[in-house]
Amino acid sequence: MIEKHTIKVIPLGGLGEIGKNITAIEYEDEIIVIDCGMGFPDEDMYGVDLIIPDIRYLLEHNKKVKGIFLTHGHEDHIGGIPYILKQLNTPVYGTKLTIGMIENKLKEHGFLKEAELHPVQAGDTIELGKLKVEFIRSTHSIADACCLAVHTPVGKILHTGDFKIDYTPVDGLTMDLERISQLGKEGVLLLLADSTNVERGGHSASEQSIGETLQRLFNNVKGRIIVATFASNIHRIQQIINASVSHGRKVAFSGRSMENISEVAKNLGYLHLAEENSISLEEIKNYPNHQVTIITTGSQGEPMAALARIAFSNHRKIKIETDDLFIISASPIPGNDKLIARVINELYKKGAEVIYEALEDVHVSGHAYQEELKLIHTLVHPKYFMPAHGEYRHLIHHKRLAQRLGMEASRIFVLETGQVLEVSDETAGVTGKVQSGNIFIDGIGVGDVGNVVLRDRKHLAQDGMLTVVAAIEKETYQIAGGPDIITRGFVYVKDSEELIEAVKEIAITVLEECLKNKMTERAVLKVNMKKAIERYLYEKTRRIPSIFPIILEV
């Protein structure tokens, strides 16, 4: 039995998946929300642009929500903010770069004036009522990342956010292990920790090692150097800039997100690029190729991103030239391997030289390996532990790692999205489940594409459609016109005339039979036609296209 005075931890996304990270922490009449990310659609989610978490629980308890607290500025942690704030306009707290990136997003959505954004610094503590949230400096593949310590009347909760332990970060700001250790000595009730790289033994490489590789790769390159990386990886971009400047190259940015984020980072002092070393894409033609570096988006092979458009000769300003060197400085997000391979193959076909992770050390992970996770567990030694941020196997492996470090299995909780973990000083357990799930964004539509629409899109994509149009004389109940057959994605009419003629004959037979028996309701005519045509087409093709009968009365 869970005690009355407990703290509730409710993951609304980010468990059993990569992306869509959002966790609610609730104590009595206060709720704080940690992160508010977006997810990327699977291949069978036709037409869906992105996925945001279902926040119905927060909307139902909106008076309790005191703010959204952000660990860092990656899309899977802040990408849902513009959509969520329009439903739940609550204060947002984050470090300077994170807030700068959100401001940029909200401008695009026309919602900046309505939002209440609060920049903070690592070391700051935000006091609400009974809850306090402390920002603790961390290291990750983006600047200004933080762990969050939530101080509650029941005990302290430490949420690592995404992190790695980099002893030589590019900006020199190491993770505040001293403060984390101090919290551990004071006593941490519950630890939520990043599980993404729990399967990898050893210790992740420092981001600075990429700078050494880049300096070597830039030597003796006769043409332009085009580097694709994540727009949010400010430290990686800085190292590309450093290598370019030291080799006498000017730097241009390509891709909307790259241009926007680099501008924000420069204005806030996180990215350093002297004016004389910066050029626009329009200016690259004014310099010899060996003096040009282009930093671009598209490291995941996204068809509409700049790198793919360059590869497939669709980019308006960048055409592949002799001696161009392409460097893809990123690793594939699960599921993107084929997209990236497609772009690399096309670049090779066009005669470019390509360097990617399989050939050179041009990427390091931003997530902790096993030895780093062990260090955090050892410093914090929490009473309870909840693996976070990862697919289900990652959460299980993280549980086992904690057990190897001596933690009892009964004190470790592997949750699914929507489950409620209640914790007190004496006991902890899963006590229920709240509404959670996915909201699909398609164009400007939010939530108007659901499972039924996706099922129909999948059916249309797999088997196509066939439309039968017939006109009925409403006074004599005779066929006045048609039936005409229109197909899309099923068969090409000119190549399947015999099949189409047979479908017409079936439609005529069904209509005449129905009309003869005084079955004149359009719904009945449509159903009978649909069933008869479906049976015939399946017998002949082993396919069942979506069939749309249209009956006109004249």
Side-chain angles (χ1 to χ4, degrees):
M1 184 71 181
I2 303 295
E3 296 177 356
K4 184 180 179 183
H5 293 290
T6 62
I7 191 86
K8 291 180 181 178
V9 179
I10 310 169
L12 297 173
L15 294 188
E17 60 185 339
I18 300 294
K20 200 163 62 65
N21 296 285
I22 177 170
T23 303
I25 295 179
E26 180 176 354
Y27 180 77
E28 294 182 351
D29 60 347
E30 293 181 33
I31 295 176
I32 66 154
V33 180
I34 296 177
D35 290 333
C36 188
M38 55 167 261
F40 295 99
D42 296 330
E43 287 181 358
D44 59 353
M45 294 179 179
Y46 299 98
V48 174
D49 297 320
L50 54 97
I51 306 166
I52 60 172
D54 186 335
I55 60 159
R56 204 169 312 177
Y57 181 78
L58 299 178
L59 297 175
E60 289 169 358
H61 299 84
N62 64 333
K63 290 182 180 176
K64 288 187 176 183
V65 179
K66 304 304 177 187
I68 298 172
F69 295 80
L70 302 170
T71 58
H72 64 286
H74 277 153
E75 288 295 314
D76 58 332
H77 293 260
I78 67 168
I81 290 279
Y83 305 96
I84 300 304
L85 286 187
K86 290 174 185 177
Q87 304 172 66
L88 181 74
N89 198 357
T90 188
V92 178
Y93 300 87
T95 49
K96 196 166 60 168
L97 178 62
T98 306
I99 293 296
M101 293 170 74
I102 288 170
E103 285 178 344
N104 209 44
K105 283 180 170 295
L106 293 176
K107 278 180 193 172
E108 291 182 0
H109 283 258
F111 199 72
L112 182 57
K113 289 181 181 177
E114 293 85 350
E116 186 182 337
L117 306 178
H118 298 276
V120 301
Q121 293 181 333
D124 287 352
T125 298
I126 307 301
E127 298 196 22
L128 302 166
K130 304 178 186 76
L131 300 178
K132 294 192 295 184
V133 183
E134 177 184 356
F135 286 78
I136 302 169
R137 188 172 64 240
S138 180
T139 44
H140 184 41
S141 53
I142 186 172
D144 247 4
C146 283
C147 305
L148 298 179
V150 184
H151 300 261
T152 82
V154 179
K156 298 181 183 69
I157 297 174
L158 179 65
H159 191 309
T160 66
D162 291 2
F163 81 101
K164 66 185 289 184
I165 298 175
D166 192 339
Y167 298 108
T168 56
V170 172
D171 59 8
L173 299 173
T174 54
M175 189 169 183
D176 193 349
L177 296 174
E178 186 177 353
R179 177 57 184 152
I180 291 170
S181 175
Q182 186 181 353
L183 287 170
K185 290 173 184 173
E186 294 170 2
V188 171
L189 180 66
L190 175 67
L191 171 67
L192 287 77
D194 179 5
S195 307
T196 311
N197 272 342
V198 69
E199 295 168 317
R200 297 189 179 188
H203 198 293
S204 65
S206 171
E207 177 64 35
Q208 277 209 11
S209 65
I210 299 299
E212 297 164 10
T213 303
L214 290 172
Q215 290 286 356
R216 176 171 54 79
L217 292 175
F218 275 45
N219 285 332
N220 303 317
V221 177
K222 296 177 182 176
R224 300 175 303 181
I225 297 177
I226 297 103
V227 188
T229 192
F230 290 111
S232 60
N233 197 338
I234 304 302
H235 292 156
R236 184 73 49 81
I237 294 170
Q238 185 65 63
Q239 294 192 100
I240 298 165
I241 290 170
N242 294 346
S244 300
V245 172
S246 67
H247 286 80
R249 291 176 176 268
K250 307 293 184 184
V251 177
F253 296 101
S254 170
R256 188 168 59 89
S257 61
M258 184 67 74
E259 292 169 9
N260 290 343
I261 292 175
S262 61
E263 192 63 29
V264 169
K266 281 193 289 184
N267 291 340
L268 294 175
Y270 290 90
L271 192 64
H272 306 286
L273 175 61
E275 201 65 42
E276 64 268 20
N277 296 319
S278 175
I279 58 173
S280 67
L281 284 183
E282 288 77 13
E283 293 176 296
I284 59 177
K285 62 181 180 296
N286 300 334
Y287 296 86
N289 285 356
H290 69 275
Q291 291 181 9
V292 172
T293 295
I294 300 168
I295 307 176
T296 183
T297 56
S299 63
Q300 295 302 300
E302 308 96 306
M304 297 306 295
L307 181 64
R309 288 189 284 119
I310 295 168
F312 289 93
S313 303
N314 295 323
H315 199 288
R316 288 182 299 167
K317 297 173 183 174
I318 306 171
K319 305 296 177 191
I320 296 173
E321 297 185 21
T322 307
D323 296 324
D324 279 351
L325 172 65
F326 286 80
I327 300 173
I328 300 176
S329 184
S331 62
I333 292 171
N336 286 351
D337 306 66
K338 288 183 179 179
L339 289 174
I340 296 171
R342 180 170 164 265
V343 170
I344 291 172
N345 286 330
E346 194 62 30
L347 289 170
Y348 274 125
K349 283 180 184 177
K350 295 288 199 312
E353 188 61 41
V354 190
I355 291 174
Y356 46 99
E357 198 179 21
L359 303 179
E360 288 275 4
D361 294 328
V362 289
H363 180 70
V364 295
S365 178
H367 298 272
Y369 287 18
Q370 287 177 9
E371 295 307 312
E372 297 153 87
L373 293 172
K374 287 177 184 176
L375 177 57
I376 290 297
H377 280 266
T378 304
L379 291 175
V380 176
H381 48 84
K383 179 170 278 193
Y384 303 108
F385 169 52
M386 180 186 139
H389 198 287
E391 295 177 12
Y392 197 77
R393 73 178 192 277
H394 299 136
L395 308 182
I396 293 295
H397 284 305
H398 205 167
K399 174 183 178 179
R400 292 173 182 169
L401 181 143
Q403 287 179 269
R404 291 199 299 274
L405 293 171
M407 197 166 193
E408 296 173 18
S410 62
R411 294 182 178 272
I412 305 170
F413 300 92
V414 176
L415 267 65
E416 295 179 4
T417 295
Q419 286 187 312
V420 180
L421 176 64
E422 287 198 55
V423 185
S424 75
D425 189 46
E426 298 298 325
T427 184
V430 176
T431 59
K433 193 163 187 175
V434 305
Q435 174 69 43
S436 63
N438 296 331
I439 302 295
F440 300 122
I441 309 293
D442 183 0
I444 60 172
V446 179
D448 54 356
V449 173
N451 291 328
V452 174
V453 173
L454 284 182
R455 184 197 65 202
D456 289 345
R457 288 181 179 181
K458 188 174 182 180
H459 192 185
L460 288 165
Q462 290 174 339
D463 293 312
M465 61 175 280
L466 183 144
T467 305
V468 186
V469 184
I472 304 295
E473 169 59 58
K474 60 184 176 182
E475 290 184 5
T476 63
Y477 295 120
Q478 299 293 315
I479 298 174
D484 294 322
I485 310 296
I486 303 164
T487 73
R488 290 292 182 271
F490 172 53
V491 293
Y492 183 51
V493 173
K494 288 186 179 178
D495 292 341
S496 307
E497 291 180 0
E498 190 176 320
L499 184 72
I500 298 301
E501 283 302 318
V503 171
K504 283 185 182 180
E505 289 301 321
I506 291 168
I508 290 169
T509 302
V510 171
L511 282 172
E512 288 179 341
E513 186 70 26
C514 289
L515 295 172
K516 180 181 174 182
N517 295 316
K518 306 299 183 185
M519 298 162 62
T520 58
E521 289 186 20
R522 278 194 287 182
V524 174
L525 296 174
K526 287 180 180 181
V527 167
N528 287 353
M529 281 174 60
K530 187 173 187 289
K531 285 181 177 178
I533 293 169
E534 266 182 3
R535 278 196 303 269
Y536 173 78
L537 290 177
Y538 186 73
E539 285 173 10
K540 293 295 182 182
T541 67
R542 286 295 183 268
R543 284 181 276 164
I544 307 177
S546 296
I547 296 171
F548 302 100
I550 299 172
I551 307 292
L552 305 172
E553 290 184 350
V554 294

